[in-house]
């Protein structure tokens, strides 16, 4: 498989090709095992793990496609993911009729945020939603002169933007990371590392929890989450991260710490969205992916792991990005 991919995509680094080969072989093996278990023990209920594996196929396939297609299209694809995630959030949070203008402005932040990532303007990117939109959106709501539940709407709208747009947009900025000497995988390797570990962490926490889980960690939020699943997932994800550290420019100790951090933040993103769904009395954010819920159900963990991973990489190994004036000169 690695040879086939190398022939099809000669422009990709050997590390990226190797990682994609590992992912596809792993998925094929897991799918084959689940099929065998289903046939050998039809009475055993493995529906949930089968659905998770199917959704993993879908999401990994989408991200691999984004990595292999041209650079601009990758940013557009990731922006569309943010659009779906934001739409699913505001659909279940029940904003007021008078919030429609602010919601429209919030939607327009998506192309701006991803354009800032595309042009590698870190200074503008990092303050656009947390600062500029934080100051701009409340006055737009106030202009409507509807003060009923306005405090709640202000908080919900900005928080929704932070989670579904600002957090996820760090996936795009990973693709904008500058080249480093001796590190051929670049931003695509970093994106693969992050997405694979985030997804495998979800799977490993589920497997450990189902196999050994006895002590519930957040019974009122996510009854199926256990301490055994959480700890087993962190250990497993850290070990796996160690072996795929070739996708990053990190040292061994940095890879171990980063992998564990991704596992912890992935759990945080998962339970935060679970709390929202429990509050709203829904099982899934939407039915965008038939049988598997909404887009945000599949990438909720990434809204937490992406910014954590990006900023850790930025401060550990990357020099400061170009100031905006230099970027304009190079356009």
């Amino acid at each position: 498989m690695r040879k086939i991919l190398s022939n099809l995509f000669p422009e990709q680094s050997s590390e990226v090709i190797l990682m994609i080969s590992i992912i596809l072989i792993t998925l094929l093996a897991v799918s084959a095992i689940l099929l065998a278990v289903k046939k050998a023990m039809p009475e055993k209920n493995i529906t949930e793990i089968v659905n998770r594996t199917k959704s993993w196929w879908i999401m990994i396939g989408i991200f691999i496609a984004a990595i292999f297609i041209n650079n601009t299209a990758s940013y557009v694809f990731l922006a569309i993911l943010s659009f779906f995630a934001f739409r699913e959030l505001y659909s279940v949070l029940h904003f007021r009729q008078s919030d429609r203008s602010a919601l429209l402005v919030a939607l327009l932040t998506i192309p701006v945020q991803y354009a800032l990532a595309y042009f590698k303007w870190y200074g503008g990117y990092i303050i656009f939603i947390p600062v500029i939109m934080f100051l701009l959106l409340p006055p737009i709501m106030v202009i409507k002169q509807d003060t009923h539940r306005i405090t709640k709407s202000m908080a919900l709208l900005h928080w929704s933007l932070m989670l579904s747009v600002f957090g996820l947009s760090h996936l795009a900025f990973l693709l904008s990371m500058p080249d480093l000497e001796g590190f051929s995988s670049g931003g695509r390797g970093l994106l693969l590392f992050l997405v694979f570990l985030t997804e495998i962490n979800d799977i490993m926490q589920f497997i450990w929890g189902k196999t050994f889980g006895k002590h519930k960690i957040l019974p009122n939020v996510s009854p199926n989450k256990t301490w055994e699943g959480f700890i087993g997932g962190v250990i497993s994800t850290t070990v796996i991260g160690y072996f795929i550290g070739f996708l990053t420019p990190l040292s061994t100790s940095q890879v171990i710490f980063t992998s564990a951090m991704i596992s912890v933040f992935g759990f945080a993103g998962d339970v935060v969205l679970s709390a929202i769904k429990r509050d709203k009395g829904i099982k899934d954010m939407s039915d965008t992916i038939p049988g598997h819920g909404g887009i945000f159900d599949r990438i909720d963990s990434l809204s937490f792991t992406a910014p954590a991973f990006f900023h850790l990489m930025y401060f550990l190994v990357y020099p400061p990005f170009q100031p905006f004036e230099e970027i304009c000169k190079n356009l």
Side-chain angles (χ1 to χ4, degrees):
M1 183 173 289
R2 183 180 178 184
K3 186 175 181 180
I4 295 173
L5 291 173
S6 297
N7 291 333
L8 288 173
F9 306 101
E11 71 281 1
Q12 297 296 331
S13 71
S14 58
E15 291 86 358
V16 170
I17 294 296
L18 173 60
M19 189 61 221
I20 291 174
S21 301
I22 292 172
I23 292 172
L24 294 178
I25 291 171
T26 301
L27 280 174
L28 286 170
V30 170
S31 299
I33 292 170
L34 291 175
L35 182 62
V37 170
K38 195 172 182 179
K39 286 187 175 181
M41 296 179 286
E43 74 284 353
K44 195 171 184 64
N45 186 7
I46 58 171
T47 303
E48 189 171 354
I49 187 63
V50 168
N51 287 338
R52 283 173 180 259
T53 304
K54 287 179 179 178
S55 66
W56 201 35
W57 269 109
I58 294 170
M59 296 312 302
I60 288 295
I62 291 173
F63 275 102
I64 289 176
I67 287 171
F68 279 135
I69 58 182
N70 72 74
N71 199 47
T72 302
S74 298
Y75 289 88
V76 173
F77 157 77
L78 292 171
I80 291 172
L81 272 187
S82 268
F83 167 76
F84 277 110
F86 180 69
R87 189 185 69 171
E88 289 174 0
L89 262 181
Y90 78 65
S91 295
V92 303
L93 292 178
H94 306 303
F95 284 92
R96 307 169 305 163
Q97 185 69 22
S98 57
D99 294 329
R100 293 175 66 87
S101 296
L103 282 168
L104 176 60
V105 174
L107 279 170
L108 293 176
T109 66
I110 297 175
V112 175
Q113 181 73 1
Y114 280 85
L116 292 170
Y118 178 80
F119 289 114
K120 307 178 184 181
W121 185 19
Y122 179 79
Y125 169 88
I126 205 65
I127 69 168
F128 176 60
I129 289 178
V131 179
I132 295 175
M133 297 313 296
F134 174 77
L135 297 174
L136 179 62
L137 289 173
I140 294 175
M141 292 180 171
V142 171
I143 288 172
K144 295 293 183 177
Q145 301 188 65
D146 178 10
T147 58
H148 179 61
R149 295 196 302 115
I150 191 171
T151 306
K152 183 177 181 181
S153 287
M154 288 177 181
L156 286 177
L157 184 54
H158 190 68
W159 183 84
S160 297
L161 273 180
M162 288 294 292
L163 197 62
S164 62
V165 182
F166 183 71
L168 291 177
S169 68
H170 288 81
L171 297 169
F173 216 131
L174 282 174
L175 295 175
S176 296
M177 289 295 211
D179 293 333
L180 292 176
E181 185 177 352
F183 176 54
S184 59
S185 297
R188 283 171 166 75
L190 295 175
L191 183 61
L192 265 181
F193 180 85
L194 171 64
V195 172
F196 180 74
L197 276 194
T198 301
E199 293 295 330
I200 202 67
N201 175 63
D202 180 56
I203 297 293
M204 297 309 297
Q205 289 197 9
F206 174 81
I207 291 174
W208 282 100
K210 280 293 183 182
T211 306
F212 300 106
K214 292 182 180 179
H215 303 88
K216 296 186 182 300
I217 187 169
L218 293 168
N220 294 329
V221 175
S222 186
N224 293 325
K225 301 288 186 185
T226 64
W227 280 105
E228 291 82 2
F230 171 69
I231 295 171
V234 171
I235 294 172
S236 301
T237 302
T238 302
V239 171
I240 294 169
Y242 168 78
F243 284 106
I244 63 171
F246 56 81
L247 288 171
T248 76
L250 299 171
S251 67
T252 299
S253 59
Q254 289 173 337
V255 167
I256 292 172
F257 174 79
T258 302
S259 301
M261 180 202 70
I262 288 174
S263 180
V264 173
F265 276 87
F267 173 84
D270 190 9
V271 295
V272 164
L273 197 65
S274 293
I276 295 171
K277 290 187 286 188
R278 186 163 289 272
D279 174 46
K280 296 301 176 183
I282 57 177
K283 183 178 183 295
D284 298 312
M285 295 297 289
S286 75
D287 57 356
T288 304
I289 306 175
H292 303 288
I295 294 291
F296 212 6
D297 291 298
R298 306 277 69 84
I299 60 174
D300 52 2
S301 297
L302 283 169
S303 64
F304 273 59
T305 61
F309 176 69
F310 171 86
H311 290 289
L312 186 63
M313 294 297 300
Y314 179 79
F315 288 112
L316 282 179
V317 296
Y318 279 92
F321 286 99
Q322 291 176 297
F324 186 57
E325 293 78 9
E326 291 184 26
I327 295 172
C328 292
K329 291 178 184 177
N330 296 330
L331 291 180

